[in-house]
Amino acid sequence: MTNFKILIVEGEVLIAEDLSDLLRSFGINEIDMAHDKPSALNKIEAFQPDLILLDIRMESELTGIQIAEIINTQYK
């Protein structure tokens, strides 16, 4: 499988770990995780993922949809 870089943005750590384990079972090894908006935006800049799995119902200062709007505006 090609090596995609995937960022998981999920407020629930256990769910993020389960997603990571599932992706690894498919042969994807370049996976990073963020659990809130500041770390998500920092990881996007540093990790430069090909795909972001974004929880739209995050219970932080911004919802996942608001984070997606920031991502779309800044990174297209």
Side-chain angles (χ1 to χ4, degrees), residues 38-49:
S39 62
L41 297 177
N42 287 337
K43 298 250 179 167
I44 291 167
E45 188 70 31
F47 186 58
Q48 297 183 350

Side-chain angles (χ1 to χ4, degrees), residues 10 12-14 32 40 43 62 71-72:
E10 168 61 60
E12 297 289 331
V13 176
L14 292 176
D32 206 347
K43 298 250 179 167
L62 289 178
I71 293 168
N72 189 43

Side-chain angles (χ1 to χ4, degrees), residues 48-71:
Q48 297 183 350
D50 299 304
L51 177 69
I52 301 172
L53 301 178
L54 180 59
D55 178 6
I56 62 170
R57 294 188 209 154
M58 291 180 63
E59 295 184 19
S60 62
E61 63 273 7
L62 289 178
T63 67
I65 292 174
Q66 291 168 318
I67 295 170
E69 289 170 350
I70 293 169
I71 293 168

Side-chain angles (χ1 to χ4, degrees), residues 19-42:
L19 283 171
S20 177
D21 291 344
L22 181 64
L23 291 168
R24 288 184 198 288
S25 75
F26 292 129
I28 299 169
N29 294 315
E30 292 193 64
I31 301 167
D32 206 347
M33 290 182 273
H35 305 294
D36 57 30
K37 176 209 169 211
S39 62
L41 297 177
N42 287 337

